[in-house]
Amino acid sequence: MGARKAKGRKSEITLEELADEGSLAAALTCEECSTLFPLDARTACDRCFGPLSVVYGHGPLRGTSPDEVLAGRAPGLWRYLELLPPVSPASRERVPLGPSPLRPAPRLARALGLRELWLKEDLALPSGSFKDRPAGFAVAYARDLGYPAVGCASTGNLAAATARAATLSGLPAWTFVPAGLPEAKLLPVRIFGGGIVEVEGTYDDANRVAQVLADEDRLGLVNINLRPYYVEASKTLAFEILEERHWDPPAVWGIPLGSGALLSATFRALMQVQDIGWLDSSEEELPRLVGSQPEGCAPIAEAFRKGSEEIVPVAHPETIAESLAIGNPASGYDALGAIRKTGGAADAPTADEVRWALREAARLEGVWSEPAGGTVLATFKRLVDQGTLDRSDSAVAFLTGAGWKTPPVWEGQDLGPRLRVSARERSLTLPDLAAFPSLAGAAAHGEV
Amino acid sequence: MVHVFFSGALKAVTNGVARLELPDFAEGDLDTLLRSLAGRFGPSFSDRLTEDGHLRRYVNVFVNGEDVRFARGLQTPVGPADSVDFIPAVAGG
């Protein structure tokens, strides 16, 4: 590794010094042609434009136990520093995060037909989605590299997370989003002090415009020119599940697919801890990764269902799951490969199935997820009904975003009674809530 | 005049050039444009973008903002006043 200095900061930091902070990250490698690069700001492979990922030297951790390595560390994102790229303590301290709750959901498990279900509730993170992990990490990394400003291309969740991490890190943030997002997705960005550029077009258009501007304005776009580091932090979701379940994880992991980066990161996390020896299993015994996309934007799930090696982009995504409306998934091939290698599956439920699952989760477990999480739950239901998942399976669903961000999903839906009465009302008879068809789903399980 | 933008990932083969204007580019298609650019920057430019006569999997080319994969690929028409962006498909999510 070269002695390149991080630019633009008063106290410059060498990469060697960063490596001394505990990270075992060694280099970037191209996933297509295996060319190696130093750990610098780099969008793609110089040789073939292929995506880059971080490679690690796990040697120092082999023969250790996770309890011995992790003992005494604060919970959260930075707990797993050996298994992430190097970030200085000063930048880490500015963006504390997590962990998110992992809790059993027995009533929802019964509704979906599973023996056991766990909910990984990243919707409880500060900006309302799992994006607090990669955004927090990448902004800290950008701070070490001396970027004067940060930003992202986003379907909404990442914009809020980037704005939050930026304000904590003392950096301005510009977020590029497709025009027309619900105000509930944009308001957090503004509250956290971020700027918004609404691009007339799809997410992929916003992404392209951001890339063109980032190259010229020295903007650290977390999911573009910092993407190789950004995606690494999503591994912590898996680390938290493994640690909380004492390294005996549920057999099936349900993960929403937008760009495919979260599922790919999850697979890399599993491979890392398997390589170190913390997870005692062969590749065949790894948790099966189940990918979920919504009908209307399902290029990865389509490729899986067809048994195809090619992912055909969707030009104009149409789905209630806006956070998954990425027609040209950057990590699609990686995700597809991970699903197949772990013996997993992928599917794409309809909007009605997603809404049903969201309401079941809300009424049976008190969890209000955005449609991405509902897509996972609805996929579990489909796969159980089809016999692809066994009713004796234990599963964990990644609930990656909060329901309060997506009010348009419920516009025009029958959500039960809403009465308005006079302030002098004295004789109102309240109706039986269980008699309303829209509430029958939860009531049918006899649990409400 | 055709306006061309190159992502930073291509700067190694464009000698650091990020934007280019081609006043003399006649009516043609993306393939014609790529040949013209290879004439200027050398064969390594084409090698970065194409393989076996097709755009590489992780190369996105946009003509006036439209992904050529949704148009006619290398046969997508390119004419005067068009803008062409060469961008790696590694963003998202």
Side-chain angles (χ1 to χ4, degrees), chain A residues 194-220:
Chain A
I196 298 170
V197 178
E198 292 187 86
V199 177
E200 293 174 358
T202 64
Y203 167 79
D204 295 301
D205 292 316
N207 208 319
R208 175 176 50 79
V209 170
Q211 286 199 56
V212 171
L213 295 178
D215 266 4
E216 298 197 335
D217 289 345
R218 193 157 159 66
L219 197 56

Side-chain angles (χ1 to χ4, degrees), chain A residues 76 152 154 158 206 224 259 271 328 330 335 364 375 394:
Chain A
C152 65
S154 172
L158 178 57
I224 297 178
S259 71
M271 297 298 286
N328 193 1
L364 296 176
T375 306
S394 68

